[in-house]
Amino acid sequence: MKTTGRKPRVALLIGGVSGEHSISCLTAAGVLRNIDLERFDVLVIGITRSGHWVLVPAEPEALEGGHAEVPADAPGVTLVKDGANEVRLIGTNGTHADFGVVDVVLPLLHGPFGEDGTVQGMFEMLGVRYVGSGVLASAAGMDKHMTKVVLQQAGLPVGNYVAVTPAAWQRDREGVLAQCAALASPLFVKPARAGSSLGITKVDDVAELAAAIQAAHEHDPKVIVEEGVTAREIEVAVLAGRDGRPRVAPVGEVVMDLAPDEFYDWETKYFSHDAVSMQAPAQLPEDVAQRIADYAAATFEALECEGLARVDFFYTDSGEILVNEINTMPGMTPYSMYPYMWQQAGLSYRELVTELIELALARPVGLR
Ligand SMILES: Nc1ncnc2c1ncn2[C@@H]1O[C@H](COP(=O)(O)OP(=O)(O)O)[C@@H](O)[C@H]1O
Ligand SMILES: [Mg+2]
């Protein structure tokens, strides 16, 4: 698109109603500190924990620390399409304040109602450009069950699992438990559509399965129960290509020094800085790294992703490669794995943010 004579105006959309609100704020601070202000104008729209849209000052300080929140008392705003077919940010609550045109949205939201196609649907309805995957890829990528359905169909390797829909759980609890008990233990019980390891329980004894499913229900009425594997955790950063072919950074590894019964849970992800380190490129036999990179690009394409994604793998002790999950809006703090892997590939955080925005600006609106 053309923004004749002026810099494109980028609206960061941050916070949100999911459990990853503060992580989103942290990512936003990283983007604000690094976005190229010579090329772009920046606005920040916050979604409060209760779902209200507000205008947030474009200041990273207030968003850092890992416990930051979008201020609930900031002025209310909303995006509308004006008579000239441009999308504008305007005040709500009868103020009629006009904060100007928005050329492209950078939704830095993680989890449900941010990464799952819902807000992407709103952008589609408005006809505003935005960074990242569209409605279908976002929704399928958020749902760990649907991700596996699509990947299996594309011939990509995924682990064994049982999807526990709310209807099945209500209708036939005993049957569901029996199906899950047929999987090899330990089991990993997860909300189908959460992130940051929220609501995940490792179950060694099937007697604890029902309680673990109930714990996952705190986050999502739909649950997935997976066969546990003993594996290294390999992550791959994918960026949409300019030539239609996804770009893949050298594969990375989350190297963990954990007790045998622990896993990469919320605490470990965000607070155990000593026990976890990122290694990119990962130390893997070349053919294994190449296969994982190929699977990552194939995963991106199978789900019809756009913009960016991080594809996470298990490389099991028996040498098997499994796709674990995809994140269509991966953590993007300057310390996160996604930008780190691109840095190792020679693309700085600032260049990465520029590239993501330019990809979105170059993409047409409407069905693609
Ligand atoms: N099937 C599994 N086998 C072994 N470990 C698992 C399995 N599934 C999840 N885990 C552990 O739990 C962590 C979080 O699970 P994941 O599916 O990545 O959910 P999230 O979307 O919350 O990151 C993984 O990084 C891994 O440490
Ligand atoms: Mg994960």
Side-chain angles (χ1 to χ4, degrees):
M1 75 174 294
K2 287 204 172 55
T3 51
T4 29
R6 62 174 178 82
K7 297 185 229 178
R9 294 190 90 211
V10 182
L12 311 188
L13 185 60
I14 74 164
V17 297
S18 86
E20 293 170 283
H21 183 102
S22 296
I23 306 304
S24 167
C25 293
L26 201 56
T27 290
V31 171
L32 283 173
R33 286 199 185 283
N34 289 281
I35 191 167
D36 189 347
L37 294 173
E38 308 259 298
R39 298 172 93 113
F40 305 112
D41 277 336
V42 184
L43 302 162
V44 182
I45 306 170
I47 303 178
T48 66
R49 282 196 189 272
S50 58
H52 292 93
W53 288 44
V54 296
L55 184 66
V56 176
E59 293 159 3
E61 296 77 13
L63 299 168
E64 277 159 344
H67 297 283
E69 294 211 6
V70 168
D73 56 357
V77 289
T78 191
L79 290 171
V80 296
K81 186 184 269 199
D82 69 11
N85 244 0
E86 289 190 309
V87 174
R88 312 187 76 83
L89 187 68
I90 60 162
T92 51
N93 307 330
T95 60
H96 300 296
D98 186 349
F99 301 103
V101 168
V102 170
D103 296 303
V104 57
V105 181
L106 173 48
L108 298 170
L109 303 167
H110 307 299
F113 307 104
E115 195 177 346
D116 66 347
T118 49
V119 83
Q120 287 76 12
M122 193 187 122
F123 303 146
E124 294 290 341
M125 295 297 287
L126 278 169
V128 68
R129 288 176 169 76
Y130 58 98
V131 171
S133 284
V135 173
L136 181 66
S138 300
M142 185 83 250
D143 184 318
K144 290 184 165 70
H145 166 224
M146 283 302 158
T147 302
K148 287 185 170 61
V149 169
V150 174
L151 297 189
Q152 277 175 313
Q153 175 66 29
L156 287 157
V158 298
N160 296 323
Y161 68 94
V162 172
V164 185
T165 62
W169 187 242
Q170 197 187 1
R171 223 168 27 224
D172 183 17
R173 207 169 277 216
E174 291 312 314
V176 168
L177 290 172
Q179 248 189 312
C180 297
L183 297 171
S185 282
L187 302 175
F188 276 80
V189 180
K190 313 176 183 182
R193 298 159 294 188
S196 289
S197 301
L198 291 168
I200 299 184
T201 312
K202 181 181 177 188
V203 171
D204 294 300
D205 179 348
V206 288
E208 296 156 16
L209 190 54
I213 290 174
Q214 260 143 15
H217 278 155
E218 295 291 315
H219 298 268
D220 192 340
K222 181 175 176 186
V223 169
I224 183 166
V225 178
E226 295 180 7
E227 232 164 54
V229 292
T230 310
R232 288 165 67 182
E233 300 201 29
I234 308 297
E235 303 194 342
V236 188
V238 185
L239 187 59
R242 294 279 182 165
D243 63 355
R245 207 188 305 269
R247 290 170 272 184
V248 177
V251 309
E253 178 169 8
V254 181
V255 182
M256 282 170 273
D257 179 20
L258 300 175
D261 58 329
E262 288 180 324
F263 64 95
Y264 195 26
D265 61 7
W266 171 276
E267 284 294 313
T268 314
K269 276 181 181 166
Y270 300 111
F271 302 104
S272 305
H273 300 294
D274 297 336
V276 182
S277 63
M278 298 180 286
Q279 188 160 46
Q283 287 188 352
L284 287 169
E286 210 170 297
D287 61 315
V288 173
Q290 188 56 53
R291 257 167 61 215
I292 293 175
D294 291 345
Y295 286 159
T299 297
F300 191 88
E301 295 203 298
L303 287 158
E304 299 181 2
C305 292
E306 295 172 277
L308 75 165
R310 198 189 73 223
V311 187
D312 296 349
F313 291 83
F314 293 129
Y315 179 46
T316 71
D317 288 0
S318 56
E320 210 181 350
I321 299 168
L322 298 171
V323 183
N324 172 35
E325 62 154 344
I326 185 166
N327 295 282
T328 52
M329 185 45 72
M332 285 267 286
T333 76
Y335 314 101
S336 300
M337 195 69 173
Y338 185 85
Y340 177 73
M341 289 190 281
W342 281 116
Q343 271 159 40
Q344 298 309 302
L347 194 67
S348 72
Y349 189 93
R350 174 184 299 246
E351 289 165 337
L352 175 63
V353 170
T354 297
E355 181 63 10
L356 288 170
I357 296 168
E358 293 200 330
L359 282 168
L361 285 169
R363 177 170 101 182
V365 293
L367 289 179
R368 299 182 284 279

